[in-house]
Amino acid sequence: MRQGEVSALVHSLTLGVVYVPSCELQAFKEELRSSANGGEGELKNSLVSQGMLVVNDVDDEENFIRLRDQLRSKMSLEMMYLLVTDGCNLRCTYCFEESPSVSGSFRAMHMSEEAVVKSLDLFASMTARYGNPQLEKVIHLYGGEPLANRKAVYRAVSYANELKARGSLPDSCRLVIVTNGVLLNEEDAQFFSANAVSVGLSIDGPAFITNLYRVPKRSGINVAERITHAFRLLKKHGVGVGLSVTLTPEAVDHFDEFLAFFTEGEFRAADGASLNLLHYTPHVKLSDDFYRKAVECQIKAFQRFREIGFYEDRIIRKVSAFVDQEPMYADCGVVGRQLVIAPDGRIGVCQDFVKTRTYFPRSVYDTDHDDLLDVLFENWRNRSPFFMTQCTDCPALGICGGGCPASAELKTGDKNNIDERACFHSKRVLEWLVWDAYAAAR
Amino acid sequence: RVIVLQPGNRVKVMGNVRC
């Protein structure tokens, strides 16, 4: 990539970067064409040291396959999504669950306390066998809206404590509840505080944006007010709160107001946020340049967030891969990192398919789980841009992760296709990172 | 001149930072 008179060369696997005056690079390329080894000099030495200049393509291909297989082999079981209900008190405009392919004649169901216990037992035994002891274990209490089945939430937390006391789950195992906040009360906040449960709270910015998309099924509820009330209760009791935020067209169009909401108002007291790029849904019409604008907003938000030390997960994933020079194999846990348990105890790999139970081949009520991971992940372990032929020459391969397979399936009919948002997102963020780092390096 | 990006300069993109 080039900016003015300077070119940047990026190794997509090691994320090494070499900056060189464009005229010198051009001269070097010509020299390389005319003589086999390209002569000697600082540029050649730098390119060799960064693995950008190799003796032959065969070595390069072998290195790629070795790294890919090494990254894949590191995908160990560390997370569980416990879907305590697939019903919800909101009908968010952009919700995947409201897409035509997954709604239809759907009836919500709640997870029983028996299924909660069996799920946690399964997670404890499977992570003991197949997890990496060095990595944190996380149980996500999820839905639907999990607080619509409060009994199961409380049972899951208390039983996780029992498993920790027995040594079946590590003490460091973290519990997170992902909620829209509307049903949250003071007793919940006290309970989460007492049991070190952190909360993912959904809010899309100022009230006029949040209430536009986060629509209650029962009229007369001001969702933004309820979320704010929930946030205050959680902060009052010292509960860790991360904000799940969707970047909507309105957020992009009113970006300064949207950003100030998180950097200057009371929500700045959150522990972090995720600014999610709105995924494909037939219910929201997006302009052709929406993703381009949304990624620019995400970058601008990060520039402000890093000044005030506010953690934004979506971009940090890519920034961390770049900073640590550790390529990211997959964004999504479907490559072997997660179990998803439906309310009836069916075991799957992706919560976005819970209503249809697609990809939920087993149950917590099965008596034998010996081959569970092979059955679950057989067709998912390779769902990485490292296995997508159209991605192998992409400069952003090392920071990409391939986006969301469910979104790719909804849009294209095949989970192994590219999630087009990730493609644009990764390339643009890489370009920004390379030149932002250059400002510090020169 | 040729510059190889070093870890000390990479980490500066983090600024003050450490459903």
Side-chain angles (χ1 to χ4, degrees):
Chain A
M1 51 189 78
R2 180 173 174 166
Q3 191 176 76
E5 295 172 4
V6 176
S7 292
L9 300 165
V10 182
H11 194 303
S12 64
L13 302 180
T14 66
L15 296 161
V17 184
V18 174
Y19 303 98
V20 58
S22 300
C23 56
E24 285 187 32
L25 179 62
Q26 187 58 37
F28 180 74
K29 283 180 177 174
E30 286 167 10
E31 197 175 353
L32 205 55
R33 281 190 208 103
S34 60
S35 70
N37 65 4
E40 296 300 330
E42 186 185 8
L43 177 55
K44 181 186 173 186
N45 293 339
S46 298
L47 295 180
V48 170
S49 76
Q50 295 298 304
M52 296 177 188
L53 199 59
V54 294
V55 175
N56 61 61
D57 287 344
V58 175
D59 288 351
D60 210 29
E61 179 70 11
E62 284 178 357
N63 287 339
F64 171 73
I65 291 171
R66 192 180 306 122
L67 174 67
R68 183 185 70 186
D69 292 349
Q70 185 183 35
L71 290 171
R72 182 176 57 177
S73 70
K74 285 182 179 174
M75 297 300 116
S76 51
L77 186 65
E78 315 298 345
M79 294 186 289
M80 177 170 71
Y81 287 84
L82 195 64
L83 276 58
V84 296
T85 178
D86 48 13
C88 188
N89 54 330
L90 300 186
R91 187 183 287 113
C92 299
T93 314
Y94 45 59
C95 183
F96 191 100
E97 305 293 334
E98 299 299 330
S99 297
S101 61
V102 291
S103 48
S105 59
F106 168 76
R107 285 178 64 86
M109 74 174 292
H110 284 1
M111 181 177 276
S112 69
E113 292 188 58
E114 180 191 31
V116 168
V117 167
K118 281 190 171 294
S119 300
L120 266 73
D121 281 338
L122 176 69
F123 182 65
S125 65
M126 296 305 276
T127 50
R129 285 173 69 181
Y130 302 109
N132 177 345
Q134 307 298 314
L135 297 178
E136 179 185 60
K137 307 292 173 283
V138 184
I139 297 170
H140 298 267
L141 303 172
Y142 219 70
E145 169 48 47
L147 288 173
N149 186 6
R150 186 174 272 109
K151 193 190 293 184
V153 168
Y154 278 55
R155 183 70 181 114
V157 174
S158 61
Y159 191 61
N161 288 340
E162 287 179 41
L163 290 172
K164 288 180 183 181
R166 271 188 238 159
S168 301
L169 269 180
D171 282 340
S172 60
C173 178
R174 204 155 63 95
L175 275 83
V176 180
I177 181 168
V178 179
T179 173
N180 60 42
V182 172
L183 302 175
L184 189 136
N185 59 36
E186 185 139 28
E187 184 189 354
D188 297 329
Q190 289 170 320
F191 180 74
F192 297 150
S193 176
N195 291 283
V197 177
S198 54
V199 175
L201 189 64
S202 304
I203 186 164
D204 292 343
F208 76 92
I209 300 178
T210 293
N211 286 336
L212 185 63
Y213 286 91
R214 307 193 65 77
V215 182
K217 286 182 177 168
R218 197 157 57 84
S219 60
I221 294 173
N222 184 324
V223 172
E225 278 182 10
R226 293 286 192 96
I227 299 169
T228 304
H229 178 65
F231 182 72
R232 288 171 183 165
L233 285 176
L234 293 166
K235 295 314 292 181
K236 173 183 168 186
H237 292 285
V239 178
V241 183
L243 305 174
S244 287
V245 183
T246 297
L247 269 171
T248 61
E250 286 72 17
V252 169
D253 290 343
H254 302 86
F255 180 69
D256 290 343
E257 188 177 350
F258 169 84
L259 185 59
F261 181 81
F262 296 105
T263 57
E264 294 170 21
E266 63 184 301
F267 285 93
R268 181 175 167 168
D271 296 302
S274 295
L275 299 188
N276 301 306
L277 295 179
L278 187 62
H279 67 96
Y280 169 75
T281 166
H283 297 299
V284 181
K285 177 77 181 126
L286 298 176
S287 64
D288 291 342
D289 62 352
F290 170 72
Y291 287 124
R292 182 186 62 76
K293 288 180 176 175
V295 171
E296 293 308 320
C297 287
Q298 201 182 45
I299 290 171
K300 275 193 277 187
F302 178 68
Q303 288 174 299
R304 176 71 183 116
F305 288 158
R306 69 179 175 179
E307 290 173 3
I308 62 175
F310 189 78
Y311 189 101
E312 197 284 292
D313 180 65
R314 295 313 185 220
I315 204 163
I316 285 285
R317 293 180 185 203
K318 298 185 187 307
V319 172
S320 295
F322 180 79
V323 167
D324 300 336
Q325 293 191 257
E326 290 184 359
M328 175 161 51
Y329 179 70
D331 261 317
C332 176
V334 296
V335 291
R337 294 200 303 258
Q338 68 190 28
L339 296 178
V340 178
I341 316 292
D344 58 0
R346 301 297 301 177
I347 307 168
V349 295
C350 172
Q351 59 273 30
D352 280 346
F353 295 104
V354 66
K355 282 192 175 174
T356 57
R357 299 293 192 272
T358 312
Y359 311 123
F360 281 76
R362 291 292 180 86
S363 168
V364 296
Y365 293 100
D366 295 342
T367 51
D368 182 356
H369 296 297
D370 278 354
D371 63 348
L372 174 63
L373 298 195
D374 290 338
V375 170
L376 276 183
F377 297 116
E378 180 183 19
N379 296 316
W380 293 87
R381 287 194 188 279
N382 293 354
R383 207 286 172 187
S384 160
F386 280 82
F387 279 94
M388 296 177 181
T389 51
Q390 62 271 56
C391 300
T392 48
D393 289 331
C394 176
L397 177 62
I399 68 163
C400 181
C404 169
S407 194
E409 176 143 324
L410 184 66
K411 182 80 185 283
T412 71
D414 185 346
K415 66 183 187 300
N416 289 308
N417 284 336
I418 285 178
D419 173 358
E420 61 182 12
R421 300 164 307 159
C423 207
F424 180 81
H425 190 199
S426 300
K427 288 174 180 170
R428 177 64 189 109
V429 171
L430 177 69
E431 181 185 41
W432 176 77
L433 281 168
V434 163
W435 294 112
D436 191 75
Y438 178 68
R442 63 184 172 152
Chain B
R1 60 194 175 99
V2 176
I3 301 172
V4 176
L5 184 60
Q6 300 298 329
N9 285 322
R10 278 175 193 272
V11 77
K12 289 177 183 171
V13 302
M14 297 286 282
N16 296 314
V17 177
R18 294 291 164 264
C19 194

